[in-house]
mmCIF file of all heavy atoms in Angstrom:
data_model
loop_
_atom_site.group_PDB
_atom_site.id
_atom_site.type_symbol
_atom_site.label_atom_id
_atom_site.label_comp_id
_atom_site.label_asym_id
_atom_site.label_seq_id
_atom_site.Cartn_x
_atom_site.Cartn_y
_atom_site.Cartn_z
ATOM 1 N N ALA V 1 94.696 106.313 106.071
ATOM 2 C CA ALA V 1 94.628 106.914 104.743
ATOM 3 C C ALA V 1 93.194 106.969 104.263
ATOM 4 O O ALA V 1 92.445 105.993 104.405
ATOM 5 C CB ALA V 1 95.469 106.115 103.766
ATOM 6 N N SER V 2 92.825 108.096 103.733
ATOM 7 C CA SER V 2 91.522 108.221 103.088
ATOM 8 C C SER V 2 91.739 108.341 101.588
ATOM 9 O O SER V 2 92.818 108.695 101.131
ATOM 10 C CB SER V 2 90.775 109.447 103.613
ATOM 11 O OG SER V 2 91.508 110.621 103.340
ATOM 12 N N GLY V 3 90.723 108.058 100.845
ATOM 13 C CA GLY V 3 90.879 108.047 99.406
ATOM 14 C C GLY V 3 90.811 106.621 98.891
ATOM 15 O O GLY V 3 90.624 105.676 99.656
ATOM 16 N N ARG V 4 90.994 106.475 97.616
ATOM 17 C CA ARG V 4 90.793 105.174 96.993
ATOM 18 C C ARG V 4 92.103 104.423 96.772
ATOM 19 O O ARG V 4 93.165 105.011 96.755
ATOM 20 C CB ARG V 4 90.098 105.383 95.644
ATOM 21 C CG ARG V 4 88.758 106.068 95.763
ATOM 22 C CD ARG V 4 88.166 106.341 94.394
ATOM 23 N NE ARG V 4 87.885 105.108 93.685
ATOM 24 C CZ ARG V 4 87.390 105.082 92.455
ATOM 25 N NH1 ARG V 4 87.166 106.213 91.814
ATOM 26 N NH2 ARG V 4 87.142 103.944 91.860
ATOM 27 N N ALA V 5 91.993 103.122 96.652
ATOM 28 C CA ALA V 5 93.105 102.281 96.211
ATOM 29 C C ALA V 5 94.318 102.367 97.124
ATOM 30 O O ALA V 5 95.449 102.475 96.636
ATOM 31 C CB ALA V 5 93.487 102.632 94.772
ATOM 32 N N PHE V 6 94.093 102.291 98.431
ATOM 33 C CA PHE V 6 95.216 102.321 99.378
ATOM 34 C C PHE V 6 96.216 101.223 99.047
ATOM 35 O O PHE V 6 97.433 101.415 99.199
ATOM 36 C CB PHE V 6 94.674 102.151 100.794
ATOM 37 C CG PHE V 6 95.745 102.071 101.852
ATOM 38 C CD1 PHE V 6 96.478 103.204 102.194
ATOM 39 C CD2 PHE V 6 96.013 100.895 102.512
ATOM 40 C CE1 PHE V 6 97.462 103.155 103.174
ATOM 41 C CE2 PHE V 6 96.993 100.821 103.494
ATOM 42 C CZ PHE V 6 97.718 101.954 103.826
ATOM 43 N N GLY V 7 95.749 100.114 98.585
ATOM 44 C CA GLY V 7 96.628 98.991 98.268
ATOM 45 C C GLY V 7 97.524 99.227 97.073
ATOM 46 O O GLY V 7 98.360 98.369 96.757
ATOM 47 N N SER V 8 97.396 100.349 96.427
ATOM 48 C CA SER V 8 98.264 100.702 95.300
ATOM 49 C C SER V 8 99.398 101.625 95.698
ATOM 50 O O SER V 8 100.181 102.046 94.848
ATOM 51 C CB SER V 8 97.435 101.389 94.200
ATOM 52 O OG SER V 8 96.451 100.498 93.678
ATOM 53 N N TYR V 9 99.477 101.935 96.982
ATOM 54 C CA TYR V 9 100.474 102.884 97.478
ATOM 55 C C TYR V 9 101.533 102.182 98.328
ATOM 56 O O TYR V 9 101.204 101.426 99.248
ATOM 57 C CB TYR V 9 99.816 103.965 98.344
ATOM 58 C CG TYR V 9 98.951 104.925 97.586
ATOM 59 C CD1 TYR V 9 97.644 104.605 97.245
ATOM 60 C CD2 TYR V 9 99.442 106.168 97.196
ATOM 61 C CE1 TYR V 9 96.845 105.482 96.538
ATOM 62 C CE2 TYR V 9 98.655 107.061 96.490
ATOM 63 C CZ TYR V 9 97.358 106.710 96.163
ATOM 64 O OH TYR V 9 96.584 107.596 95.463
ATOM 65 N N ALA V 10 102.781 102.446 98.003
ATOM 66 C CA ALA V 10 103.853 102.128 98.934
ATOM 67 C C ALA V 10 103.825 103.182 100.037
ATOM 68 O O ALA V 10 103.516 104.349 99.786
ATOM 69 C CB ALA V 10 105.193 102.128 98.229
ATOM 70 N N MET V 11 104.150 102.749 101.248
ATOM 71 C CA MET V 11 104.051 103.634 102.405
ATOM 72 C C MET V 11 105.373 103.681 103.165
ATOM 73 O O MET V 11 106.166 102.719 103.113
ATOM 74 C CB MET V 11 102.951 103.129 103.353
ATOM 75 C CG MET V 11 101.590 102.969 102.720
ATOM 76 S SD MET V 11 100.878 104.531 102.207
ATOM 77 C CE MET V 11 100.692 105.348 103.804
ATOM 78 N N ALA V 12 105.570 104.757 103.878
ATOM 79 C CA ALA V 12 106.805 104.890 104.642
ATOM 80 C C ALA V 12 106.593 105.796 105.850
ATOM 81 O O ALA V 12 105.627 106.566 105.897
ATOM 82 C CB ALA V 12 107.926 105.441 103.764
ATOM 83 N N TRP V 13 107.506 105.659 106.781
ATOM 84 C CA TRP V 13 107.594 106.567 107.916
ATOM 85 C C TRP V 13 108.943 107.291 107.843
ATOM 86 O O TRP V 13 109.985 106.660 107.607
ATOM 87 C CB TRP V 13 107.502 105.818 109.234
ATOM 88 C CG TRP V 13 106.141 105.281 109.531
ATOM 89 C CD1 TRP V 13 105.659 104.037 109.232
ATOM 90 C CD2 TRP V 13 105.075 105.960 110.193
ATOM 91 N NE1 TRP V 13 104.362 103.914 109.659
ATOM 92 C CE2 TRP V 13 103.976 105.082 110.256
ATOM 93 C CE3 TRP V 13 104.941 107.236 110.752
ATOM 94 C CZ2 TRP V 13 102.765 105.423 110.849
ATOM 95 C CZ3 TRP V 13 103.725 107.577 111.341
ATOM 96 C CH2 TRP V 13 102.652 106.687 111.385
ATOM 97 N N PHE V 14 108.881 108.586 108.073
ATOM 98 C CA PHE V 14 110.072 109.414 108.207
ATOM 99 C C PHE V 14 109.951 110.157 109.532
ATOM 100 O O PHE V 14 108.884 110.206 110.134
ATOM 101 C CB PHE V 14 110.174 110.422 107.053
ATOM 102 C CG PHE V 14 110.425 109.777 105.718
ATOM 103 C CD1 PHE V 14 109.386 109.235 104.979
ATOM 104 C CD2 PHE V 14 111.709 109.706 105.201
ATOM 105 C CE1 PHE V 14 109.618 108.629 103.746
ATOM 106 C CE2 PHE V 14 111.951 109.101 103.978
ATOM 107 C CZ PHE V 14 110.900 108.567 103.250
ATOM 108 N N ARG V 15 111.047 110.731 109.986
ATOM 109 C CA ARG V 15 111.011 111.513 111.207
ATOM 110 C C ARG V 15 111.930 112.714 111.072
ATOM 111 O O ARG V 15 112.884 112.703 110.291
ATOM 112 C CB ARG V 15 111.395 110.674 112.419
ATOM 113 C CG ARG V 15 112.843 110.206 112.444
ATOM 114 C CD ARG V 15 113.063 109.244 113.607
ATOM 115 N NE ARG V 15 114.449 108.825 113.692
ATOM 116 C CZ ARG V 15 114.887 107.899 114.545
ATOM 117 N NH1 ARG V 15 114.034 107.299 115.385
ATOM 118 N NH2 ARG V 15 116.168 107.581 114.564
ATOM 119 N N GLN V 16 111.607 113.721 111.865
ATOM 120 C CA GLN V 16 112.427 114.929 111.864
ATOM 121 C C GLN V 16 112.543 115.447 113.282
ATOM 122 O O GLN V 16 111.528 115.779 113.915
ATOM 123 C CB GLN V 16 111.835 115.998 110.944
ATOM 124 C CG GLN V 16 112.742 117.199 110.775
ATOM 125 C CD GLN V 16 112.302 118.086 109.635
ATOM 126 O OE1 GLN V 16 111.153 118.037 109.183
ATOM 127 N NE2 GLN V 16 113.212 118.901 109.132
ATOM 128 N N ALA V 17 113.770 115.523 113.749
ATOM 129 C CA ALA V 17 114.057 116.075 115.069
ATOM 130 C C ALA V 17 114.407 117.551 114.908
ATOM 131 O O ALA V 17 114.825 117.986 113.833
ATOM 132 C CB ALA V 17 115.210 115.318 115.715
ATOM 133 N N PRO V 18 114.242 118.338 115.966
ATOM 134 C CA PRO V 18 114.532 119.775 115.870
ATOM 135 C C PRO V 18 115.954 120.037 115.391
ATOM 136 O O PRO V 18 116.914 119.441 115.898
ATOM 137 C CB PRO V 18 114.340 120.261 117.312
ATOM 138 C CG PRO V 18 113.383 119.289 117.910
ATOM 139 C CD PRO V 18 113.704 117.974 117.290
ATOM 140 N N GLY V 19 116.070 120.887 114.387
ATOM 141 C CA GLY V 19 117.367 121.265 113.874
ATOM 142 C C GLY V 19 117.999 120.260 112.935
ATOM 143 O O GLY V 19 119.108 120.501 112.434
ATOM 144 N N LEU V 20 117.307 119.175 112.677
ATOM 145 C CA LEU V 20 117.857 118.138 111.811
ATOM 146 C C LEU V 20 116.980 117.948 110.582
ATOM 147 O O LEU V 20 115.819 118.347 110.560
ATOM 148 C CB LEU V 20 117.988 116.815 112.571
ATOM 149 C CG LEU V 20 118.894 116.813 113.796
ATOM 150 C CD1 LEU V 20 118.894 115.434 114.451
ATOM 151 C CD2 LEU V 20 120.312 117.246 113.443
ATOM 152 N N GLU V 21 117.542 117.313 109.569
ATOM 153 C CA GLU V 21 116.784 117.040 108.361
ATOM 154 C C GLU V 21 115.864 115.833 108.578
ATOM 155 O O GLU V 21 116.102 115.003 109.441
ATOM 156 C CB GLU V 21 117.737 116.760 107.197
ATOM 157 C CG GLU V 21 118.541 117.971 106.763
ATOM 158 C CD GLU V 21 119.336 117.713 105.496
ATOM 159 O OE1 GLU V 21 119.326 116.567 105.011
ATOM 160 O OE2 GLU V 21 119.960 118.656 104.998
ATOM 161 N N ARG V 22 114.846 115.783 107.753
ATOM 162 C CA ARG V 22 113.932 114.639 107.800
ATOM 163 C C ARG V 22 114.711 113.379 107.413
ATOM 164 O O ARG V 22 115.481 113.390 106.449
ATOM 165 C CB ARG V 22 112.764 114.864 106.846
ATOM 166 C CG ARG V 22 111.637 113.879 106.978
ATOM 167 C CD ARG V 22 110.429 114.339 106.182
ATOM 168 N NE ARG V 22 109.879 115.590 106.690
ATOM 169 C CZ ARG V 22 108.717 116.104 106.292
ATOM 170 N NH1 ARG V 22 107.981 115.456 105.382
ATOM 171 N NH2 ARG V 22 108.289 117.240 106.788
ATOM 172 N N GLU V 23 114.508 112.308 108.159
ATOM 173 C CA GLU V 23 115.225 111.082 107.873
ATOM 174 C C GLU V 23 114.282 109.897 107.752
ATOM 175 O O GLU V 23 113.215 109.856 108.373
ATOM 176 C CB GLU V 23 116.277 110.787 108.955
ATOM 177 C CG GLU V 23 115.729 110.482 110.315
ATOM 178 C CD GLU V 23 116.797 110.002 111.291
ATOM 179 O OE1 GLU V 23 117.950 109.777 110.887
ATOM 180 O OE2 GLU V 23 116.466 109.827 112.482
ATOM 181 N N PHE V 24 114.702 108.947 106.958
ATOM 182 C CA PHE V 24 113.946 107.735 106.728
ATOM 183 C C PHE V 24 113.913 106.865 107.986
ATOM 184 O O PHE V 24 114.915 106.758 108.701
ATOM 185 C CB PHE V 24 114.584 106.958 105.574
ATOM 186 C CG PHE V 24 114.060 105.572 105.390
ATOM 187 C CD1 PHE V 24 112.824 105.354 104.805
ATOM 188 C CD2 PHE V 24 114.803 104.478 105.793
ATOM 189 C CE1 PHE V 24 112.332 104.077 104.634
ATOM 190 C CE2 PHE V 24 114.335 103.189 105.622
ATOM 191 C CZ PHE V 24 113.093 102.975 105.039
ATOM 192 N N VAL V 25 112.770 106.246 108.241
ATOM 193 C CA VAL V 25 112.637 105.314 109.357
ATOM 194 C C VAL V 25 112.331 103.904 108.840
ATOM 195 O O VAL V 25 113.061 102.965 109.120
ATOM 196 C CB VAL V 25 111.529 105.763 110.333
ATOM 197 C CG1 VAL V 25 111.370 104.736 111.456
ATOM 198 C CG2 VAL V 25 111.834 107.129 110.908
ATOM 199 N N ALA V 26 111.259 103.775 108.082
ATOM 200 C CA ALA V 26 110.852 102.454 107.596
ATOM 201 C C ALA V 26 109.918 102.620 106.414
ATOM 202 O O ALA V 26 109.245 103.647 106.279
ATOM 203 C CB ALA V 26 110.169 101.653 108.705
ATOM 204 N N ALA V 27 109.883 101.601 105.552
ATOM 205 C CA ALA V 27 108.998 101.618 104.396
ATOM 206 C C ALA V 27 108.429 100.224 104.172
ATOM 207 O O ALA V 27 109.033 99.217 104.569
ATOM 208 C CB ALA V 27 109.736 102.089 103.147
ATOM 209 N N ILE V 28 107.284 100.192 103.511
ATOM 210 C CA ILE V 28 106.630 98.923 103.218
ATOM 211 C C ILE V 28 106.010 99.006 101.828
ATOM 212 O O ILE V 28 105.454 100.035 101.433
ATOM 213 C CB ILE V 28 105.572 98.601 104.305
ATOM 214 C CG1 ILE V 28 105.023 97.190 104.136
ATOM 215 C CG2 ILE V 28 104.463 99.643 104.352
ATOM 216 C CD1 ILE V 28 104.233 96.705 105.350
ATOM 217 N N SER V 29 106.132 97.925 101.079
ATOM 218 C CA SER V 29 105.585 97.884 99.733
ATOM 219 C C SER V 29 104.063 97.842 99.779
ATOM 220 O O SER V 29 103.467 97.598 100.833
ATOM 221 C CB SER V 29 106.118 96.669 98.988
ATOM 222 O OG SER V 29 105.705 95.480 99.650
ATOM 223 N N LYS V 30 103.458 98.028 98.625
ATOM 224 C CA LYS V 30 102.004 98.118 98.609
ATOM 225 C C LYS V 30 101.326 96.818 99.003
ATOM 226 O O LYS V 30 100.213 96.834 99.540
ATOM 227 C CB LYS V 30 101.506 98.596 97.246
ATOM 228 C CG LYS V 30 101.833 97.669 96.085
ATOM 229 C CD LYS V 30 101.266 98.275 94.806
ATOM 230 C CE LYS V 30 101.451 97.370 93.618
ATOM 231 N NZ LYS V 30 100.829 97.945 92.390
ATOM 232 N N SER V 31 102.001 95.711 98.772
ATOM 233 C CA SER V 31 101.441 94.420 99.164
ATOM 234 C C SER V 31 101.776 94.067 100.599
ATOM 235 O O SER V 31 101.179 93.152 101.175
ATOM 236 C CB SER V 31 101.972 93.333 98.241
ATOM 237 O OG SER V 31 103.361 93.154 98.453
ATOM 238 N N GLY V 32 102.765 94.753 101.160
ATOM 239 C CA GLY V 32 103.257 94.428 102.498
ATOM 240 C C GLY V 32 104.340 93.379 102.491
ATOM 241 O O GLY V 32 104.886 93.045 103.531
ATOM 242 N N GLY V 33 104.683 92.886 101.320
ATOM 243 C CA GLY V 33 105.649 91.802 101.229
ATOM 244 C C GLY V 33 107.098 92.224 101.357
ATOM 245 O O GLY V 33 107.966 91.401 101.650
ATOM 246 N N SER V 34 107.364 93.506 101.138
ATOM 247 C CA SER V 34 108.730 94.015 101.250
ATOM 248 C C SER V 34 108.764 95.156 102.255
ATOM 249 O O SER V 34 107.876 96.016 102.246
ATOM 250 C CB SER V 34 109.230 94.531 99.900
ATOM 251 O OG SER V 34 109.327 93.479 98.971
ATOM 252 N N THR V 35 109.782 95.145 103.087
ATOM 253 C CA THR V 35 109.970 96.213 104.055
ATOM 254 C C THR V 35 111.433 96.650 104.057
ATOM 255 O O THR V 35 112.321 95.912 103.611
ATOM 256 C CB THR V 35 109.583 95.773 105.483
ATOM 257 O OG1 THR V 35 110.358 94.623 105.838
ATOM 258 C CG2 THR V 35 108.102 95.450 105.572
ATOM 259 N N SER V 36 111.647 97.848 104.573
ATOM 260 C CA SER V 36 112.997 98.390 104.663
ATOM 261 C C SER V 36 113.065 99.237 105.923
ATOM 262 O O SER V 36 112.083 99.920 106.269
ATOM 263 C CB SER V 36 113.301 99.238 103.422
ATOM 264 O OG SER V 36 114.588 99.790 103.481
ATOM 265 N N TYR V 37 114.215 99.187 106.605
ATOM 266 C CA TYR V 37 114.369 99.916 107.852
ATOM 267 C C TYR V 37 115.682 100.687 107.868
ATOM 268 O O TYR V 37 116.699 100.226 107.332
ATOM 269 C CB TYR V 37 114.374 98.952 109.044
ATOM 270 C CG TYR V 37 113.062 98.217 109.247
ATOM 271 C CD1 TYR V 37 112.842 96.980 108.659
ATOM 272 C CD2 TYR V 37 112.052 98.773 110.021
ATOM 273 C CE1 TYR V 37 111.637 96.312 108.832
ATOM 274 C CE2 TYR V 37 110.852 98.121 110.209
ATOM 275 C CZ TYR V 37 110.650 96.877 109.605
ATOM 276 O OH TYR V 37 109.464 96.224 109.784
ATOM 277 N N ALA V 38 115.667 101.826 108.530
ATOM 278 C CA ALA V 38 116.903 102.531 108.814
ATOM 279 C C ALA V 38 117.693 101.722 109.837
ATOM 280 O O ALA V 38 117.119 101.058 110.708
ATOM 281 C CB ALA V 38 116.596 103.913 109.358
ATOM 282 N N ASP V 39 119.001 101.800 109.733
ATOM 283 C CA ASP V 39 119.845 101.065 110.675
ATOM 284 C C ASP V 39 119.561 101.472 112.117
ATOM 285 O O ASP V 39 119.678 100.653 113.029
ATOM 286 C CB ASP V 39 121.317 101.297 110.342
ATOM 287 C CG ASP V 39 121.752 100.595 109.068
ATOM 288 O OD1 ASP V 39 121.036 99.690 108.597
ATOM 289 O OD2 ASP V 39 122.826 100.963 108.537
ATOM 290 N N SER V 40 119.190 102.724 112.299
ATOM 291 C CA SER V 40 118.985 103.242 113.647
ATOM 292 C C SER V 40 117.783 102.620 114.351
ATOM 293 O O SER V 40 117.694 102.666 115.578
ATOM 294 C CB SER V 40 118.814 104.762 113.603
ATOM 295 O OG SER V 40 117.722 105.110 112.772
ATOM 296 N N VAL V 41 116.859 102.045 113.600
ATOM 297 C CA VAL V 41 115.657 101.455 114.209
ATOM 298 C C VAL V 41 115.528 99.968 113.932
ATOM 299 O O VAL V 41 114.640 99.307 114.482
ATOM 300 C CB VAL V 41 114.368 102.172 113.746
ATOM 301 C CG1 VAL V 41 114.449 103.661 114.046
ATOM 302 C CG2 VAL V 41 114.098 101.929 112.272
ATOM 303 N N LYS V 42 116.388 99.439 113.088
ATOM 304 C CA LYS V 42 116.298 98.026 112.719
ATOM 305 C C LYS V 42 116.423 97.150 113.968
ATOM 306 O O LYS V 42 117.283 97.377 114.817
ATOM 307 C CB LYS V 42 117.379 97.683 111.710
ATOM 308 C CG LYS V 42 117.220 96.332 111.052
ATOM 309 C CD LYS V 42 118.299 96.117 109.997
ATOM 310 C CE LYS V 42 118.173 97.091 108.853
ATOM 311 N NZ LYS V 42 119.188 96.861 107.813
ATOM 312 N N GLY V 43 115.554 96.166 114.067
ATOM 313 C CA GLY V 43 115.552 95.291 115.229
ATOM 314 C C GLY V 43 114.706 95.803 116.377
ATOM 315 O O GLY V 43 114.396 95.055 117.313
ATOM 316 N N ARG V 44 114.336 97.089 116.328
ATOM 317 C CA ARG V 44 113.513 97.682 117.389
ATOM 318 C C ARG V 44 112.140 98.102 116.874
ATOM 319 O O ARG V 44 111.261 98.439 117.673
ATOM 320 C CB ARG V 44 114.193 98.918 117.976
ATOM 321 C CG ARG V 44 115.549 98.692 118.572
ATOM 322 C CD ARG V 44 116.025 99.939 119.318
ATOM 323 N NE ARG V 44 116.281 101.068 118.439
ATOM 324 C CZ ARG V 44 115.677 102.249 118.547
ATOM 325 N NH1 ARG V 44 114.768 102.464 119.488
ATOM 326 N NH2 ARG V 44 116.001 103.243 117.717
ATOM 327 N N SER V 45 111.989 98.110 115.558
ATOM 328 C CA SER V 45 110.752 98.638 114.979
ATOM 329 C C SER V 45 110.196 97.674 113.940
ATOM 330 O O SER V 45 110.945 96.937 113.301
ATOM 331 C CB SER V 45 111.019 99.988 114.314
ATOM 332 O OG SER V 45 111.460 100.931 115.262
ATOM 333 N N THR V 46 108.886 97.733 113.783
ATOM 334 C CA THR V 46 108.212 96.916 112.780
ATOM 335 C C THR V 46 107.177 97.761 112.063
ATOM 336 O O THR V 46 106.311 98.375 112.704
ATOM 337 C CB THR V 46 107.511 95.715 113.421
ATOM 338 O OG1 THR V 46 108.459 94.924 114.128
ATOM 339 C CG2 THR V 46 106.850 94.846 112.348
ATOM 340 N N ILE V 47 107.284 97.799 110.741
ATOM 341 C CA ILE V 47 106.272 98.471 109.935
ATOM 342 C C ILE V 47 105.331 97.407 109.376
ATOM 343 O O ILE V 47 105.765 96.321 108.968
ATOM 344 C CB ILE V 47 106.908 99.310 108.805
ATOM 345 C CG1 ILE V 47 105.849 100.150 108.103
ATOM 346 C CG2 ILE V 47 107.702 98.452 107.838
ATOM 347 C CD1 ILE V 47 106.428 101.185 107.127
ATOM 348 N N SER V 48 104.063 97.712 109.380
ATOM 349 C CA SER V 48 103.071 96.776 108.847
ATOM 350 C C SER V 48 101.917 97.582 108.270
ATOM 351 O O SER V 48 101.827 98.790 108.474
ATOM 352 C CB SER V 48 102.574 95.830 109.945
ATOM 353 O OG SER V 48 101.967 96.545 110.999
#
């Protein structure tokens, strides 16, 4: 990320496969203290 105050932004990953809608993958709070995962990737993925 470029720009100022990156630590003020919550961040997330989404994905989109051909012919499908964009779907949530994982998210992390601005402090990094809270995370959330889609069931499809939980246990296999780590957001940091």
Side-chain angles (χ1 to χ4, degrees):
S2 61
R4 300 176 64 181
F6 176 71
S8 297
Y9 290 82
M11 304 294 296
W13 289 93
F14 293 82
R15 67 187 183 186
Q16 187 167 19
L20 299 179
E21 292 188 355
R22 190 169 296 190
E23 66 172 353
F24 169 76
V25 177
I28 188 167
S29 62
K30 62 180 184 177
S31 68
S34 295
T35 57
S36 179
Y37 295 92
D39 289 344
S40 58
V41 304
K42 191 176 295 182
R44 301 189 293 122
S45 298
T46 302
I47 188 170
S48 60

